[in-house]
Every structure is written in C-alpha cells, then in structure tokens.
Amino acid sequence: MSTVPTRLLPDGLSTPALGFGTYPLAGSEAEAAVLSALEAGYRMIDTAASYGNESEVGRAVAASGLPREDVFLTTKLRGADHGYERTLRAFSASAERLGVDYVDLYLIHWPLPRLDAYADSWRAMIELREQGLVRSIGVSNFTVRHLDRLAEETGVMPAVNQIEMHPHFPQARLREEHAARNVETQSWSPLGRGDGLLTEPVVVELAHRHGVTPAQVVLRWHLQLDAVPIPKSASPTRRSANLDVFGFALSEEETASLSVLERGRTGGDPDTHEEF
C-alpha cells in the first residue's frame, strides 16, 4: 500500500497531496472502486452531488473500516442548489447520502454567473464551516474575477480552487493568481481527456527515462507545480500506479518541457458553463 504525503491548505487543514476522483463512476462500480482506492492507500476521495454517487462513496468509506478522521472527503454543491438557504439544505442532503457528520472540503462546483447566486452560496458555506459541519471550504472552476468577488463581499477567500489542469491546459496564469491569493490549486482531469496527452513523445520519453508510466510522469508534473491532482480510474492497476508518484522527481527542464504542450481546455468555460 502506498503512503501519500500530506500538505497544508491555506486555512491550516492537513490534506493528502493526491486524491481519487469518482466521476463518472456510478452504482456498485463506484462503491467497489472507492473501496479499492482506500485499500491501495488513497486517503482523499472526491465526489459531488451532481455525480450521483455520494451514497456509494459513503458506503465504501464505511466498509473500509478506516477511522473517519483518516479519510479526507470532498463533495460539491450543484448548480440547482445555488443560493443561501438552498446551499444549507443541499449540504445536509449530501452529508446524509455520504453517511457522515461532517465533510472535510465543500466546494461550489461551478460559478454559474448567469444565476448570480454563488456569493450567497459562499455565505452559507462560511456558516457551515463556523458550525463545524465542514472543515474547509472552496470552489471549483472559478476565475480570478469570481474568486475576488467572494473575498470582497465576505472577507473570506476560498482555500481551494479545483480546476481543469493538465499539460494540454497548464493554467499558468490562474496558478499565479492562486499563489498571490494563497489559494490551493487542485487539478481535475489531471491526465487529460483522451486527447492523446499520454502518447505525446515528450511524455513517453520522460516515462522511459525515469522507468515509470506516462501517467505517472504527468501526475508528477502536477505535484512539482504545487498542484494537487485528483486522477480517476476504474482500473485497480492504474489506480495503484497513479498513487505511486512520490519516489521520483522531474527536473525543472523536464517539467517545463511538459508545460509547453498547451492546446486549450477540454471542459466547460467557467463564464458560460451551466451545471444543474
């Protein structure tokens, strides 16, 4: 079983340096995958209300036999639940489906600027944290403008912004803005989305040079850019390999050689994407 190092969020909460993503796993497959991931050594599990698998994630955590405090659980607020009161009710529903008394990290999944309700949701999340129902609060897919609005209106900057990030979309400018605001970068789709990233010649060459897989090279790139990758896989073999990225390092030149592969985003644009 691999051991994952920990790191501190800006609010002082300790978190694993790599997590396990659960989208689009569903039903018994989701439960089995999460249980297998926990057995392999993953200690951060990432889900969302919109994934429809919170109950399965909760059952897997319970079945693992691990103490609750040893598993870092993240879930996310869906678009249909934006707004102060709706957010409070949505969190209660998520916690019930997960079968837990608290969630370690609660994120606003998308800003949905057309609704103009994410600031009200943020106020509710601050309240949930103050009540001890959530240990840390953050956002996902937010731009700098969205982040700054939350801080300006509430005085509280998100601890985390979980964003699409991989060598085909390295997000250099946004990562710089995160660092300036003391916001942790988490990476969804850290291995790309079937867009040929893992067969890029430079990725394959680095994997051969270090005696690792192409996926391990890319995940190590995230770690060296001070981001927390959240890979997902239905394959036990790949899950274990994705976790085994702490025994080697890329040089600055090698890291830079991956960062120049930029093509653009594959997921939604935070200014226009709507998720309900």
Side-chain angles (χ1 to χ4, degrees):
M1 184 182 73
S2 298
T3 300
V4 180
T6 59
R7 52 183 290 159
L8 290 179
L9 290 177
D11 58 14
L13 184 64
S14 180
T15 173
L18 184 149
F20 180 68
T22 62
Y23 178 82
L25 300 172
S28 59
E29 181 187 30
E31 186 172 346
V34 172
L35 182 57
S36 174
L38 291 169
E39 290 171 346
Y42 287 88
R43 290 297 179 266
M44 178 194 292
I45 307 297
D46 181 273
T47 183
S50 65
Y51 296 172
N53 61 18
E54 287 175 315
S55 295
E56 289 79 7
V57 168
R59 285 197 293 269
V61 171
S64 73
L66 291 167
R68 171 66 188 89
E69 61 271 18
D70 288 355
V71 180
F72 191 99
L73 275 178
T74 299
T75 193
K76 308 180 192 75
L77 177 77
R78 64 178 184 171
D81 295 318
H82 277 212
Y84 186 87
E85 295 295 339
R86 284 179 178 269
T87 297
L88 296 178
R89 290 194 295 269
F91 172 78
S92 294
S94 284
E96 183 175 356
R97 287 190 292 268
L98 287 164
V100 296
D101 296 326
Y102 69 92
V103 167
D104 296 280
L105 178 62
Y106 197 36
L107 307 178
I108 300 177
H109 205 157
W110 288 87
L112 279 68
R114 182 180 64 83
L115 295 184
D116 195 28
Y118 64 87
D120 289 331
S121 289
W122 187 241
R123 293 183 180 92
M125 295 175 78
I126 294 170
E127 174 66 20
L128 290 167
R129 187 183 64 177
E130 290 175 349
Q131 291 178 5
L133 298 172
V134 176
R135 299 179 71 201
S136 190
I137 54 177
V139 296
S140 182
N141 303 299
F142 273 46
T143 66
V144 172
R145 177 171 58 85
H146 301 140
L147 290 170
D148 286 347
R149 180 180 174 189
L150 295 182
E152 289 165 4
E153 293 196 16
T154 69
V156 178
M157 181 66 75
V160 168
N161 190 13
Q162 188 182 114
I163 57 174
E164 178 184 357
M165 178 180 159
H166 43 77
H168 280 168
F169 192 49
Q171 296 267 36
R173 177 64 183 275
L174 184 53
R175 286 188 287 107
E176 290 176 1
E177 299 290 354
H178 285 172
R181 290 161 176 77
N182 199 24
V183 174
E184 178 175 90
T185 301
Q186 291 188 353
S187 315
W188 61 261
S189 283
L191 300 175
R193 283 187 160 188
D195 56 356
L197 173 60
L198 299 184
T199 59
E200 289 274 11
V202 64
V203 175
V204 174
E205 195 279 327
L206 287 175
H208 178 74
R209 184 185 302 174
H210 288 277
V212 298
T213 68
Q216 287 172 316
V217 166
V218 173
L219 292 172
R220 186 68 215 183
W221 172 86
H222 286 270
L223 295 173
Q224 295 195 209
L225 292 178
D226 206 28
V228 175
I230 305 175
K232 58 195 176 190
S233 176
S235 163
T237 299
R238 286 197 294 271
R239 279 197 297 270
S240 294
N242 289 346
L243 198 63
D244 187 19
V245 292
F246 299 100
F248 74 102
L250 302 175
S251 68
E252 288 187 14
E253 293 77 13
E254 290 171 332
T255 301
S257 73
L258 297 179
S259 299
V260 297
L261 298 175
E262 183 166 5
R263 295 183 184 177
R265 70 171 75 248
T266 61
D269 183 335
D271 285 321
T272 57
H273 182 79
E274 299 196 348
E275 167 270 334
F276 293 99

